[in-house]
Amino acid sequence: GEDVEQSLFLSVREGDSSVINCTYTDSSSTYLYWYKQEPGAGLQLLTYIFSNMDMKQDQRLTVLLNKKDKHLSLRIADTQTGDSAIYFCAASQTYKYIFGTGTRLKVLA
Amino acid sequence: DAGITQSPRHKVTETGTPVTLRCHQTENHRYMYWYRQDPGHGLRLIHYSYGVKDTDKGEVSDGYSVSRSKTEDFLLTLESATSSQTSVYFCAISDLPGNQPQHFGDGTRLSIL
């Protein structure tokens, strides 16, 4: 079945760019998503990209999709302490969504 | 924010007791989902619903049942709770899976002693 993998931790300095990576196995995934989870809260949709796109930019967020390698990345420009959270990558197929285990981003002041 | 309310937000109960969690939406979305979140496992799908009275199993459905008698409500029941079901449970909704994102509730933290 579909699998989505992410690295567990990332630490960056405030003001630097953060890049969170994700790989998925099923090339038939139609959309790929990035969610943010702050402590004690639910998952907040950040952005998503259709599988026939290479890139999507939304303010400080840039999503890059390499469909050949099944690799998705989320770049956060000018990372702030408020960006500290867990980031989940997800892939959708028909009625189901498959989530990675999440990457914990720590922003150092 | 999507109108999704989960109740209760926190619950502590004992092994062997029945537990029901409720998810209520005001978006009139067709699809509703229950997930559990555990360290190292990300989100795992328990059950989902694709309409009133239409439900199906996810990857970790053993020990759980669901019901959907109205579009807006999706109930998750643990018939006889076990300590392995201690987790954070999230409800999510989607209008058009595969083409639209899911939106999540704030979660229910369930502890089974």
Side-chain angles (χ1 to χ4, degrees), chain A residues 30-31 35 37 94-95 97, chain B residues 33 37 48 94 97-98 100 102:
Chain A
T30 50
Y31 280 89
Y35 288 86
Q37 185 181 34
T94 56
Y95 58 85
Y97 301 77
Chain B
Y33 303 78
Q37 183 179 28
Y48 70 99
S94 176
Q100 293 292 329
Q102 284 182 316

Side-chain angles (χ1 to χ4, degrees), chain A residues 17-98:
Chain A
S17 292
S18 307
V19 179
I20 302 171
N21 295 300
C22 169
T23 58
Y24 61 99
T25 56
D26 192 335
S27 57
S28 68
S29 296
T30 50
Y31 280 89
L32 297 131
Y33 307 87
W34 285 104
Y35 288 86
K36 176 185 180 183
Q37 185 181 34
E38 298 185 62
L43 277 70
Q44 172 196 356
L45 178 69
L46 285 178
T47 186
Y48 59 104
I49 187 168
F50 186 47
S51 57
N52 70 352
M53 295 172 64
D54 298 324
M55 185 183 85
K56 180 179 180 181
Q57 189 150 1
D58 185 358
Q59 300 181 345
R60 291 191 299 125
L61 305 178
T62 302
V63 178
L64 294 177
L65 175 59
N66 181 328
K67 199 171 180 181
K68 174 177 170 290
D69 294 338
K70 301 189 189 69
H71 182 266
L72 182 74
S73 67
L74 174 69
R75 179 177 178 270
I76 306 172
D78 187 26
T79 311
Q80 302 297 307
T81 54
D83 294 323
S84 291
I86 301 175
Y87 291 80
F88 289 92
C89 168
S92 68
Q93 312 165 301
T94 56
Y95 58 85
K96 282 203 294 189
Y97 301 77
I98 310 299

